[in-house]
Amino acid sequence: MPTPNSPRPTRRTWAAGFTAVLVLALNQGWAAEDIIKLAAVVLVLIAVVIGAGASGE
């Protein structure tokens, strides 16, 4: 449990992680086509995971 004087930890979401990966790929010089493919695959994976979690409830 955090103490009252400690800074509140920031909560990172999947969107922030996804954006960070895309920015890293851009900075590393990946081709635009490869970044588009990566983004599409990751978004599909996120949709599958969210869909699987929603159907289990």
Side-chain angles (χ1 to χ4, degrees):
M1 182 167 175
T3 61
N5 294 332
S6 67
R8 183 176 171 189
T10 58
R11 181 176 174 165
R12 304 202 188 276
T13 63
W14 63 264
F18 177 66
T19 303
V21 168
L22 292 181
V23 170
L24 179 62
L26 282 168
N27 287 338
Q28 293 295 318
W30 286 27
E33 298 85 20
D34 293 337
I35 295 174
I36 292 168
K37 288 177 190 174
L38 173 65
V41 168
V42 171
L43 287 174
V44 168
L45 178 61
I46 290 170
V48 167
V49 169
I50 290 173
S55 66
E57 292 181 16

